[in-house]
Amino acid sequence: MPTFETCPRFTTDLQHLTPAQRRRFRRVVLDAFVPDLRTDRKFRPGLRIKGVRCAPGVYELTWSMGTGPAGRATFEYGAEVRPGTPHVIWRRIGTHQILTGP
């Protein structure tokens, strides 16, 4: 299982999501993001993971599509806490607006 940490801004953003949005994010992370990290292959296309242009080393993940604005989260990789295991630092979560300060 990958290790992770959250930036204070992520924690603040998370509090502004509805309970349903928080559940959706958690489900996507556990059912898709983490399994893809474990396999060392590319992320599945549905996650729409790509680099954030204005922030080298920061990536965005789309965790919700459909009606309303898409749910997004930004993250970066940190130093491994356990050898051979990715360490993810969650930076922001919300809508497209988070990309102005990822």
Side-chain angles (χ1 to χ4, degrees), residues 3-52:
T3 57
F4 73 93
E5 65 183 277
T6 58
C7 292
R9 207 163 175 190
F10 179 90
T11 304
T12 300
D13 291 343
L14 191 64
Q15 293 171 356
H16 290 99
L17 298 180
T18 67
Q21 289 171 319
R22 287 192 294 270
R23 283 191 302 274
R24 175 72 178 145
F25 172 71
R26 182 174 170 79
R27 190 174 332 116
V28 167
V29 168
L30 293 176
D31 294 347
F33 183 77
V34 169
D36 287 357
L37 274 176
R38 285 182 178 160
T39 62
D40 291 331
R41 65 172 192 246
K42 286 189 165 192
F43 288 104
R44 61 194 75 194
L47 294 176
R48 300 181 67 208
I49 292 179
K50 58 187 173 189
V52 176

Side-chain angles (χ1 to χ4, degrees), residues 2-11 25 74-81 86-92:
T3 57
F4 73 93
E5 65 183 277
T6 58
C7 292
R9 207 163 175 190
F10 179 90
T11 304
F25 172 71
T74 59
F75 68 94
E76 64 185 313
Y77 293 103
E80 293 178 351
V81 175
H87 181 71
V88 175
I89 302 169
W90 294 106
R91 299 172 53 94
R92 300 288 312 271

